[in-house]
Amino acid sequence: MPPVKHYSSSEVNQYELSSRLLSLTENNTSYTLTQINGQRIYRKAPHAWSGPEPSRNCEVFIGRIPHDCFEDTLVPLFRQAGELFEFRLMINFSGWNRGYAFAMYTTDAEASNAIRMFNNYMIRPSWQLGVCPSINNCRIFISRIPPTTPSAEIVRLLYALTDEVQEIRIRRSIASCAAIVEYKSHRGAAMARKALVAAAAAAWGCGARPAVDWSLPQSPQLLKQYREVGRWTPERGVELTRAPEEPAATSPPPAAPSYTLEPWSQARRLRMIHEAQRSAAAAAEWSNRINNGMESLVSSMTSLGFGGGLGLQAGEAGVWAPPGAGLMGAAPRLPPPSQPRDFNPWTARHPLQEFITPGKDVQ
């Protein structure tokens, strides 16, 4: 395995890097190395390849590349999986790579072998590569379009700014507008994205700044939300078609709620009801026993000579007797006699005071 070379994270040694990259072509004249449109392409020379180019199934996407890792490390590494037809590394303006690249092999089997060998490959300590099949993305997503812009003007503007436009899908709402532009090739989409990013502020006017980026893979259901489809031809000009809205799926009426309980639930509920009834009956029986006991106590005290008033004076008996009834459930009482002026109901004796208050001789 070739040694992994890396550079300082503060600056790129352009002289050393150029000498290392030139060694790739000097040692193997079957390849050329060129840089264009923010990518450096290591590709088979025309004299070293005959026939059509490999299909898109032969290309893999390489992600999570360290920003100071270049072709002098990556090309020998991925060459172990098979013969490379093309290796494209994305480069930014400062000279660092953008963290991803594309490797195209001569056969599908070599591309599958590269995915098997180098996916989650530890290129540096705690730094794993991500390798997967390359997706030929030919769509650009444009958001934050001024909602007042007519659809025909959007179609005309995108056809004027970019090439290889195949169709434009537009989605509108009350306060927003977005579009998905599909191109004939990935290269056309990449060039269009670059042109739209540069001309976004000046092309749309009114201080609008639409956001331009690659479109994520859209499901057919999501694409149906973009109901306006626009095309432009020199002969017919702008052609707009609107997809009809699909009728809402008629759902069956909701079933009537069922209140039937499971057998075990019914038995549990009946058991709880019977227990509550038994508790209420026991409480009523206990209350009746207390009342009967108090009545027998009063009658016994009366027979012992305490009298109907239990030894209380007329005013005191009237204080403790319930309204409309005699003392302790006795017969209804007569209107109370006149009370002395110095009578205080708050100091009236309780009927059972002799039984609940200890005697004076008890210390």
Side-chain angles (χ1 to χ4, degrees):
M1 180 180 299
V4 176
K5 312 177 187 66
H6 58 88
Y7 304 89
S8 172
S9 59
S10 59
E11 60 181 4
V12 179
N13 191 334
Q14 295 291 348
Y15 178 78
E16 181 183 0
L17 178 60
S18 299
S19 61
R20 292 182 181 276
L21 295 180
L22 287 176
S23 64
L24 292 176
T25 57
E26 291 177 355
N27 299 334
N28 191 346
T29 58
S30 301
Y31 290 88
T32 59
L33 186 64
T34 56
Q35 182 168 343
I36 183 173
N37 295 330
Q39 58 182 345
R40 200 159 43 226
I41 304 174
Y42 180 78
R43 184 185 174 93
K44 276 276 190 181
H47 67 273
W49 181 263
S50 60
E53 294 185 2
S55 64
R56 297 292 302 179
N57 297 332
C58 300
E59 188 176 64
V60 298
F61 172 80
I62 309 167
R64 299 199 296 264
I65 301 175
H67 293 284
D68 58 347
C69 186
F70 300 100
E71 290 89 343
D72 59 316
T73 299
L74 297 172
V75 168
L77 179 65
F78 282 88
R79 194 180 288 167
Q80 300 176 20
E83 184 180 4
L84 284 173
F85 176 80
E86 182 182 78
F87 189 92
R88 294 183 291 127
L89 182 65
M90 305 298 120
I91 303 296
N92 57 23
F93 295 104
S94 61
W96 304 105
N97 74 69
R98 299 175 62 183
Y100 64 96
F102 298 90
M104 179 177 286
Y105 290 88
T106 56
T107 62
D108 301 356
E110 293 173 341
S112 302
N113 190 30
I115 296 174
R116 181 182 57 83
M117 291 177 59
F118 299 116
N119 188 32
N120 296 327
Y121 176 79
M122 191 80 67
I123 191 170
R124 290 183 185 173
S126 302
W127 201 305
Q128 294 179 338
L129 296 177
V131 183
C132 63
S134 176
I135 300 175
N136 192 11
N137 195 353
C138 300
R139 291 174 178 170
I140 297 297
F141 176 69
I142 307 174
S143 60
R144 297 190 303 200
I145 300 176
T148 56
T149 307
S151 299
E153 183 64 23
I154 294 175
V155 174
R156 190 178 298 110
L157 183 61
L158 291 174
Y159 269 89
L161 292 176
T162 60
D163 300 327
E164 299 186 14
V165 180
Q166 188 168 352
E167 70 174 13
I168 301 171
R169 293 177 174 267
I170 302 173
R171 181 187 64 186
R172 289 186 176 275
S173 63
I174 298 178
S176 65
C177 180
I180 292 180
V181 189
E182 186 168 354
Y183 293 86
K184 297 179 181 179
S185 64
H186 175 75
R187 181 181 180 278
M191 299 299 294
R193 178 176 176 270
K194 185 177 180 180
L196 291 175
V197 169
W204 300 96
C206 302
R209 294 185 177 274
V212 182
D213 205 348
W214 291 103
S215 175
L216 298 176
Q218 305 288 348
S219 63
Q221 291 77 10
L222 187 59
L223 283 177
K224 290 180 181 178
Q225 299 179 7
Y226 294 78
R227 301 191 178 281
E228 290 184 287
V229 181
R231 294 181 178 86
W232 179 88
T233 57
E235 298 80 11
R236 300 182 179 180
V238 177
E239 296 180 353
L240 284 174
T241 58
R242 183 175 179 85
E245 296 185 3
E246 295 183 355
T250 58
S251 58
S258 176
Y259 297 100
T260 58
L261 300 175
E262 297 293 335
W264 64 269
S265 182
Q266 292 181 356
R268 181 173 177 270
R269 179 163 295 186
L270 291 175
R271 186 168 60 253
M272 293 175 62
I273 294 174
H274 293 163
E275 290 179 357
Q277 292 176 349
R278 286 197 298 268
S279 300
E285 183 180 359
W286 181 255
S287 177
N288 293 334
R289 289 182 179 180
I290 293 177
N291 293 335
N292 295 336
M294 293 299 295
E295 292 177 358
S296 60
L297 176 62
V298 170
S299 60
S300 300
M301 295 177 65
T302 304
S303 62
L304 292 176
F306 290 98
L310 295 177
L312 300 180
Q313 297 179 3
E316 295 173 339
V319 171
W320 293 104
L327 181 63
M328 302 299 288
R333 61 175 178 172
L334 298 175
S338 59
Q339 300 176 353
R341 292 186 177 182
D342 58 349
F343 175 75
N344 186 1
W346 298 104
T347 59
R349 290 181 299 167
H350 193 271
L352 303 179
Q353 184 175 2
E354 297 180 3
F355 301 94
I356 62 177
T357 303
K360 296 182 180 180
D361 55 343
V362 178
Q363 298 298 328

